Amino acid sequence: MDTEAVRSFVRAADLGQLRHAADELGVTQQAVSKRVAALERELGVRLFTRTARGVELTLDGQAFLPHARNVVAGVERAITAIRPGARALRIDVLGLRSAQAVVLHDYWRSRPGTELDVVTLRVNDPREAVAAVRTGELDASFRSVTDPAVLPREVRMIHAFDSPLELLVGPRHPLAGARTLTPERLRRHRIWVPGIAPHSEWAEFYDELATEFDLRIDAAGPNFGNEVLLDILADSADVATLVGSRDRYLWPAQHDLRRIPVVGPTLAYPLSLLLPRTDPHPGLPPVIDHFAGLPPLPGPVWRPSWAPARRPATS
């Protein structure tokens, strides 16, 4: 089996577009398309369905993906074994506009020349990220396993940093004029977080948050993306959502959306890092120190029961 074809399949699956996979692999889109087509012929199944937005995995593609990851990881481990330290530090983030990506970008800007490969695994189950770290496909992943007892011995989870939440509302919302809000003032207001994936870490976070502060967290309806959500908020007098203070959101000026910090206590989403227990990538300790050096959140802070303890800087 052509390992470059398998690698092209994995990157196309992660990025959702053949063009993006080609850019990352340094080849043409046509080359990636030919590799995937050859792999499909060899396997005798369709791995992707082509859509207007790119490509989506078929059921066969979904079944093949974890095994393909293992193939790619095995090849990379073999290369690394004879060229230690030659590969850039590869870290998985939930999205390129997420707080994790923002803080990583700050780290990279403060250390010019750092070899950093930021990727996004399109998975909701943190166990798939654990598997990618375990096999060496990833050096680290911004995922939380809410039950550390299920972590394999080879992988550990540490606290990276806390992301304080803000209420995002349109100008007609009754809370739009507030400068800060307490969790108590959020009660009885509809907080819409569409598309919460069952059994994901954020599903458990919102369940515990709603129970602790008697909040109305509504996950109804499909998730059509941030742009649609922002359009709905701009026109609504009763819908709000929660976002991280460092998360990047862009909207037209006429939307006039408001980001309002939640305090007394501050509601913090704990961002954790999964990494190998032994022999981590040499570029990882400075990144962890950068996270540990971020200023702590002021005032009382609420974090879910499964959040790891905050780590001190190691240097």
Side-chain angles (χ1 to χ4, degrees):
M1 183 174 292
D2 182 355
T3 58
E4 287 306 308
V6 177
R7 188 189 306 276
S8 296
F9 162 72
V10 170
R11 298 313 301 139
D14 289 343
L15 299 173
Q17 289 194 7
L18 299 182
R19 177 172 58 84
H20 291 169
D23 290 342
E24 183 173 301
L25 295 170
V27 298
T28 65
Q29 180 175 337
Q30 184 181 25
V32 171
S33 182
K34 287 182 177 180
R35 289 175 181 176
V36 172
L39 185 60
E40 290 177 326
R41 286 194 299 272
E42 183 173 357
L43 296 172
V45 297
R46 290 282 300 278
L47 297 173
F48 288 121
T49 298
R50 274 64 174 179
T51 70
R53 292 189 174 184
V55 291
E56 294 181 357
L57 288 169
T58 64
L59 291 177
D60 287 323
Q62 293 175 34
F64 182 62
L65 181 58
H67 304 289
R69 291 193 196 283
N70 287 337
V71 171
V72 173
V75 171
E76 291 183 350
R77 285 199 303 272
I79 294 173
T80 302
I82 60 174
R83 292 191 303 176
R87 180 173 56 76
L89 173 65
R90 181 174 297 157
I91 300 181
D92 161 53
V93 298
L94 290 176
L96 295 180
R97 293 184 178 179
S98 66
Q100 308 102 308
V102 171
V103 173
L104 275 177
H105 184 240
D106 290 342
Y107 169 81
W108 179 79
R109 289 182 61 190
S110 68
R111 291 161 176 80
T114 299
E115 294 292 331
L116 188 62
D117 184 11
V118 181
V119 301
T120 55
L121 288 185
R122 297 192 172 191
V123 298
N124 294 320
D125 189 338
R127 290 174 297 183
E128 294 188 49
V130 169
V133 172
R134 186 180 188 182
T135 62
E137 180 187 353
L138 295 173
D139 297 308
S141 175
F142 273 105
R143 307 283 173 149
S144 292
V145 176
T146 56
D147 180 7
V150 306
L151 281 174
R153 182 177 55 83
E154 301 91 340
V155 178
R156 64 187 178 120
M157 183 177 75
I158 64 172
H159 175 266
F161 61 92
D162 290 324
S163 179
L165 299 187
E166 298 174 332
L167 193 74
L168 181 62
V169 298
R172 298 171 52 214
H173 194 279
L175 298 178
R179 303 188 68 170
T180 61
L181 292 165
T182 62
E184 184 177 3
R185 289 191 64 188
L186 301 184
R187 292 175 182 167
R188 297 180 300 277
H189 291 281
R190 180 189 177 199
I191 300 174
W192 190 37
V193 187
I196 297 178
H199 311 300
S200 64
E201 64 181 83
W202 44 94
E204 297 197 30
F205 173 83
Y206 283 116
D207 283 346
E208 193 166 329
L209 179 67
T211 300
E212 179 73 17
F213 296 101
D214 192 22
L215 300 183
R216 181 186 170 196
I217 307 292
D218 182 4
N223 181 7
F224 285 102
N226 289 337
E227 289 77 9
V228 173
L229 174 61
L230 298 175
D231 290 344
I232 292 172
L233 292 175
D235 292 334
S236 176
D238 63 354
V239 179
T241 196
L242 289 168
V243 298
S245 65
R246 289 189 178 94
D247 295 342
R248 286 183 176 145
Y249 288 87
L250 302 175
W251 57 77
Q254 63 267 25
H255 277 15
D256 194 21
L257 299 183
R258 323 288 175 83
R259 299 179 68 147
I260 308 170
V262 182
V263 298
T266 296
L267 305 181
Y269 192 103
L271 296 169
S272 306
L273 201 64
L274 300 169
L275 66 156
R277 187 171 296 278
T278 59
D279 297 325
H281 189 287
L284 195 53
V287 175
I288 295 173
D289 275 355
H290 178 76
F291 297 152
L294 295 173
L297 302 182
V301 176
W302 178 86
R303 303 163 79 230
S305 59
W306 43 264
R310 180 180 168 87
R311 294 169 55 86
T314 58
S315 62

